[in-house]
Amino acid sequence: MKEYKKEIILILIPFIYGFIANTFMIILPPMLIQIVFGVFWFWVGMRFAKVKANHLKNILVGNSLWLISFLIYLWQFVLVNDEGRNTVLAMFSQHYPFTFISSGTQLSLMFSDMIHGTVLTIFSYLMMFIVFMGGYITSWIISKKMFNHNK
């Protein structure tokens, strides 16, 4: 895991921003945050593609906090009713995809005129994963082309 030392810190940044924004109500324009964190998350995906380990491990480590948070979200908002919901876990799971709420909202509106918070958040998680994988695949393709070009 020491090969991921710098990258682990990077996957914490969306959670930290979501926590700060939700806790202290420091809300910046959603489209601005989406652009900044979209570019950042794409770059993080590219960074994980460059780690000298197998691709599956890179993808799993790069999305580990995403997956844990997403599973907690599904558990707390899809499988458990309001009375059984753990407030701390529910709040934790909403911090991580907060930076992708804007694109999650746009995606949600493509399928319905009404905005459902649970669907919006699931789409935000989905967009976050797609952007990470876009960066990962882009970096992998570039490195393959550079490698093949040198032959």
Side-chain angles (χ1 to χ4, degrees), residues 8-149:
I8 295 294
I9 293 168
L10 296 175
I11 66 173
L12 289 170
I13 292 174
F15 175 78
I16 292 168
Y17 174 79
F19 176 79
I20 290 170
N22 282 324
T23 303
F24 301 108
M25 292 299 154
I26 302 170
I27 309 294
L28 300 173
M31 188 56 74
L32 173 65
I33 292 304
Q34 177 63 71
I35 291 168
V36 169
F37 274 93
V39 169
F40 170 75
W41 206 238
F42 188 86
W43 176 76
V44 170
M46 292 181 78
R47 287 279 306 243
F48 270 89
K50 294 176 183 176
V51 173
K52 301 294 182 208
N54 75 42
H55 292 296
L56 181 59
K57 184 177 180 183
N58 288 347
I59 291 167
L60 288 175
V61 171
N63 288 292
S64 57
L65 188 54
W66 176 91
L67 181 61
I68 292 166
S69 182
F70 184 58
L71 291 174
I72 291 171
Y73 183 82
L74 291 176
W75 171 36
Q76 291 297 302
F77 288 93
V78 176
L79 300 176
V80 175
N81 62 16
D82 291 343
E83 295 83 32
R85 189 170 293 145
N86 180 312
T87 308
V88 174
L89 288 176
M91 285 178 18
F92 166 81
S93 67
Q94 291 180 23
H95 294 320
Y96 203 66
F98 187 76
T99 57
F100 281 80
I101 289 293
S102 182
S103 61
T105 302
Q106 296 306 314
L107 188 58
S108 179
L109 288 172
M110 290 173 62
F111 297 100
S112 174
D113 292 339
M114 295 180 62
I115 295 178
H116 299 282
T118 303
V119 174
L120 182 149
T121 305
I122 290 171
F123 280 150
S124 299
Y125 271 110
L126 178 63
M127 292 303 298
M128 195 172 190
F129 182 74
I130 289 169
V131 170
F132 178 93
M133 289 306 298
Y136 192 96
I137 291 167
T138 299
S139 181
W140 181 74
I141 289 171
I142 290 169
S143 69
K144 284 287 190 194
K145 286 183 178 179
M146 289 173 64
F147 179 73
N148 289 336
H149 180 59

